[in-house]
Amino acid sequence: MAATLKDATAIVGIGQTAFAKQLPQSEKELACRAILAALADAGIAPAEVDAFASYTMEETDEVEVAKAIGAGDVTFFSKVGYGGGGSCATVGHLAAAVATGQATVGVAWRSRKRGSGPRPWKNTAVQLPTPGQWTRPFGLLRPADEIAMLARRYMHEYGATRDHLFNVAMACRNRANENPAAMMYERPLTREMYMTSRMISEPLCLFDNCLETDGALACVIVSAERARDCRQKPVYVHSVAQGLPAQHHGMVNYWNDDPLSGPAWTAARHLWKQADFGPQDIDVAQIYDAFTPLIPLSLEGYGFCGRGEGAAFTEGGALEMGGRLPINTGGGGLSEAYVHGFNLINEGVKQLRGISTAQVPDAATCLVTAGEGVPTSAILLRA
Amino acid sequence: MTTTAPADGLLLPVPDEDGAPFWEYAARGELRVQACAACGRLRFPPRPCCPHCQSFESEWRPMSGRGRIWSYVRPHPPLLPAYAAQAPYNVILVELAEAPGIRLAGNLVTSADAPLDSVDPARLRIGARVQVVFAETGGVTVPRWILEKA
Ligand SMILES: [Zn+2]
């Protein structure tokens, strides 16, 4: 029998700091606080940690984290590239390391001061020459501009409208309104607010964009066997995948033969092939939402509907509680916090533990995805 | 035709080894795309070898400079200052007439040296036919696009 990651490991601890536009602590301190909270949640001592995974954009490296929290000897560490595309892969890398005996207790984390820190696109010069020489001089400067280009084409090809994008923003905001930890708790959104808000990059307006957040999150991964003795109900890592499609070029997928079928499609094929269940069996999904158009594109990529049907899928409250596929039940990047998608992982764990602030009754399966539009990753979690 | 654009301070392309010929041809007012010298397939962005036949031999093929708008955006501030000064401007993606899979980012302007916001937004339309022109900005020549005369 071939080796498989299926249910071989589980997430047994989750931790997070406060989310705010501005926090006084450093990224390093926030990282340590989130990691220690996750270990405490799991009931595992820091000295037992022997594996770390984070993002290449994480500025606190594992050397600093390991010595600060008092980790033991570390035998596996990994960093995943492409910003928000790396979130689920951090869990995937640790699951592989633990399942193959390279380590026993893995910690994945992301700490970020995007709310009070510099705008990454202000440092545009470092993105030149490749591939920036083909886009930046013309004023395609920010991720919002790059995704807006895809969104305009998507709307043109499939008749998607701003009302469809509003459906996405509204579902995320409604969940954040139920989540006291969310930045948009008790801050309702209306269609009027959405339709009259300022434009960021037409056709995308303010509410099509994620929040600017200071904060950190972490989770703890151990073998399924070890998980049975942990403090919390294990949430099993059922399937993992990364996705870098043929002829992909990163954020500006415009040179691919088919720019509207991005990395989600590639990750999805592998993800479902390794799984015991399919899209129709998913109880709740946490779908990467740095920008609203990523939701219809991802719904198509992960097989919840056909090509070009993602916008129509959002109609009739499908993404809301009690709908066909409740998404981003903590509020997501649009309304809980934008920490490069890591909050979506922890929210998936909360759903399968049954402790979400917007709990889907008896949720047993959850899809979590990472950034679409960049080389991505995804995990299937099961209770 | 190369003219001097009035609005400077825009980011300049920083060519890498693969992309340098594109900018050298642009400086001469030519739009050229890298092609495989072995199998003849065009590729963009430029790279060291052909993804179809793996040949390292390439040539730079002249294009007609005609294309259609595949998509477009209008960025609003906050933006880098030089761009904020012309916002909301347009950025278009042009599918080349000879190779629809090759899409060049650029700006639709009323003439080579016109500002990035010179075209009435009502004229931005997916599928619109456009023609390349060349503008000098900060000593570097970049392609821009004008609506093809009907
Ligand atoms: Zn070739």
Side-chain angles (χ1 to χ4, degrees):
Chain A
M1 191 183 129
T4 174
L5 285 186
K6 192 190 293 177
D7 302 329
T9 61
I11 299 175
V12 292
I14 52 174
Q16 68 189 51
T17 65
F19 304 130
K21 179 90 176 164
Q22 197 154 5
L23 292 175
Q25 299 89 352
S26 67
E27 281 186 354
K28 192 196 293 189
E29 178 175 340
L30 293 171
C32 293
R33 287 186 179 279
I35 290 168
L36 290 172
L39 288 164
D41 183 50
I44 292 175
E48 285 198 65
V49 175
D50 56 6
F52 286 103
S54 194
Y55 306 50
T56 57
M57 287 185 179
E58 171 61 41
E59 288 185 17
T60 303
D61 65 34
E62 53 278 339
V63 174
E64 291 299 313
V65 168
K67 74 180 174 195
I69 67 161
D73 289 347
V74 174
T75 56
F76 179 93
F77 40 93
S78 159
K79 288 209 165 187
V80 188
Y82 310 104
S87 58
C88 294
T90 63
V91 171
H93 287 200
L94 291 176
V98 169
T100 55
Q102 296 177 77
T104 58
V105 176
V107 166
W109 89 93
R110 181 74 173 107
S111 175
R112 203 163 186 257
K113 293 193 76 168
R114 177 65 175 79
S116 58
R119 293 172 183 278
W121 55 266
K122 281 210 167 161
N123 198 13
T124 310
V126 302
Q127 295 157 15
L128 304 169
T130 299
Q133 67 185 306
W134 310 114
T135 55
R136 298 292 185 240
F138 308 109
L140 210 54
L141 301 176
R142 310 160 296 183
D145 304 321
E146 297 169 319
I147 295 300
M149 191 75 88
L150 279 183
R152 172 91 62 186
R153 180 71 192 190
Y154 181 79
M155 294 161 99
H156 171 80
E157 276 195 31
Y158 298 119
T161 65
R162 291 192 67 211
D163 270 304
H164 290 120
L165 301 182
F166 167 68
N167 290 341
V168 172
M170 188 66 176
C172 292
R173 182 62 67 94
N174 286 342
R175 299 296 80 72
N177 291 162
E178 298 163 334
N179 174 10
M183 289 175 74
M184 293 295 137
Y185 181 57
E186 292 181 332
R187 292 179 67 180
L189 176 69
T190 64
R191 186 176 181 283
E192 167 81 10
M193 287 163 68
Y194 178 90
M195 290 297 169
T196 57
S197 71
R198 65 186 174 89
M199 284 290 169
I200 300 296
S201 194
E202 291 173 58
L204 302 185
C205 72
L206 179 66
F207 296 112
D208 292 311
N209 289 262
C210 59
L211 301 170
E212 294 178 345
T213 304
D214 285 6
L217 299 109
C219 70
V220 181
I221 290 144
V222 299
S223 71
E225 191 176 28
R226 169 81 184 264
R228 286 191 277 275
D229 301 327
C230 287
R231 182 177 293 165
Q232 302 288 353
K233 179 181 166 190
V235 170
Y236 295 98
V237 180
H238 184 67
S239 179
V240 306
Q242 290 181 262
L244 167 58
Q247 296 296 310
H248 179 66
H249 292 265
M251 206 73 182
V252 280
N253 198 32
Y254 316 137
W255 303 303
N256 194 297
D257 285 346
D258 182 7
L260 295 181
S261 74
W265 276 255
T266 303
R269 278 191 291 274
H270 186 78
L271 194 72
W272 297 123
K273 196 169 68 186
Q274 304 297 314
D276 290 345
F277 47 85
Q280 69 284 356
D281 304 310
I282 291 296
D283 296 323
V284 58
Q286 314 297 336
I287 301 181
Y288 192 90
D289 59 345
F291 307 101
T292 54
L294 300 182
I295 299 292
L297 287 168
S298 298
L299 289 169
E300 296 174 19
Y302 287 97
F304 292 100
C305 59
R307 173 76 188 260
E309 296 171 358
F313 187 101
T314 69
E315 293 170 2
L319 307 179
E320 304 279 350
M321 294 303 292
R324 193 166 150 200
L325 184 72
I327 64 159
N328 302 4
T329 43
L334 288 165
S335 283
E336 183 188 25
Y338 183 62
V339 193
H340 259 157
F342 211 107
N343 52 321
L344 299 174
I345 298 172
N346 283 14
E347 176 61 22
V349 172
K350 289 174 192 171
Q351 279 287 345
L352 300 191
R353 284 184 183 177
I355 60 164
S356 170
T357 49
Q359 184 62 42
V360 172
D362 304 318
T365 56
C366 180
L367 167 71
V368 187
T369 78
E372 173 59 356
V374 290
T376 193
S377 53
I379 49 178
L380 288 176
L381 300 176
R382 81 183 311 174
Chain B
M1 168 179 69
T2 298
T3 53
T4 302
D8 252 9
L10 301 182
L11 292 168
L12 299 178
V14 177
D16 60 359
E17 200 169 306
D18 298 318
F22 178 94
W23 301 107
E24 288 159 16
Y25 284 116
R28 292 190 235 156
E30 290 182 46
L31 184 71
R32 292 199 184 214
V33 169
Q34 190 185 33
C36 175
C39 75
R41 306 265 296 260
L42 292 166
R43 62 180 187 255
F44 187 85
R47 68 201 73 163
C49 64
C50 173
H52 307 289
C53 77
Q54 287 70 45
S55 168
F56 282 81
E57 302 303 316
S58 69
E59 59 194 25
W60 284 79
R61 200 172 297 167
M63 298 286 112
S64 67
R66 289 183 301 108
R68 287 173 180 270
I69 295 179
W70 185 83
S71 188
Y72 62 94
V73 297
R74 295 183 75 224
H76 291 244
L79 289 159
L80 294 171
Y83 292 86
Q86 301 185 54
Y89 57 92
N90 69 71
V91 190
I92 61 172
L93 267 191
V94 179
E95 286 198 316
L96 296 183
E98 296 88 343
I102 289 177
R103 306 179 184 95
L104 301 180
N107 307 105
L108 188 69
V109 288
T110 51
S111 66
D113 56 356
L116 303 189
D117 60 352
S118 54
V119 169
D120 177 356
R123 306 202 66 186
L124 288 163
R125 186 175 56 78
I126 288 177
R129 292 173 187 277
V130 295
Q131 171 74 46
V132 75
V133 290
F134 291 91
E136 194 191 313
T137 170
V140 177
T141 301
V142 298
R144 299 209 192 287
W145 302 86
I146 56 171
L147 287 167
E148 198 172 74
K149 312 244 178 333

